[in-house]
C-alpha cells in the first residue's frame, strides 16, 4: 500500500483534476469512472485533439477515457 511518505505523481494529480472536470464520467462513452478505476491502467489521460495534429500538450487539451475506448478512437 501507500505509506505516509507517499507523494502522488503529476499525472495522478492531473487524473484527479480531469476526473472532477469530467464529472467522474468518460466524455466519449458517458460511462462512469469509479474512484477505484481512476488510478489503474483502465483509465488514461488522452489528448482531445491528437497531439500529432496540434502539438498541444496542455491540460486544456486533455481528458480521461477508458483505455479501450481511446484505442478505438485512434486519431479521430
Amino acid at each position: 500500500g501507500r505509506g505516509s511518505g507517499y507523494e502522488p505523481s503529476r499525472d495522478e494529480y492531473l487524473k484527479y483534476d480531469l476526473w472532477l472536470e469530467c464529472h467522474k464520467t468518460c466524455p466519449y462513452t458517458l460511462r462512469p469512472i469509479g474512484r477505484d478505476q481512476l488510478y489503474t491502467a483502465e483509465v488514461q489521460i488522452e489528448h482531445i485533439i491528437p497531439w500529432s495534429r496540434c502539438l498541444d500538450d496542455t491540460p486544456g487539451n486533455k481528458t480521461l477515457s477508458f483505455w479501450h475506448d481511446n484505442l478505438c478512437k485512434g486519431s479521430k
Side-chain angles (χ1 to χ4, degrees), residues 26-45:
C26 173
Y28 299 111
T29 63
L30 303 180
R31 289 175 35 206
I33 300 171
R35 176 170 271 189
D36 59 328
Q37 297 169 304
L38 184 59
Y39 299 110
T40 68
E42 186 178 5
V43 174
Q44 58 184 215
I45 298 170

Side-chain angles (χ1 to χ4, degrees), residues 41-53:
E42 186 178 5
V43 174
Q44 58 184 215
I45 298 170
E46 73 140 284
H47 291 93
I48 297 167
I49 300 171
W51 182 84
S52 62
R53 291 187 184 179

Side-chain angles (χ1 to χ4, degrees), residues 13-34:
Y13 278 118
L14 180 57
K15 268 190 169 186
Y16 183 78
D17 288 344
L18 292 170
W19 184 60
L20 294 178
E21 184 179 290
C22 295
H23 304 285
K24 305 175 185 178
T25 303
C26 173
Y28 299 111
T29 63
L30 303 180
R31 289 175 35 206
I33 300 171

Side-chain angles (χ1 to χ4, degrees), residues 28 44 46 65-76:
Y28 299 111
Q44 58 184 215
E46 73 140 284
S65 97
F66 288 100
W67 74 269
H68 183 264
D69 299 330
N70 189 27
L71 185 66
C72 294
K73 174 183 160 274
S75 63
K76 296 179 185 173

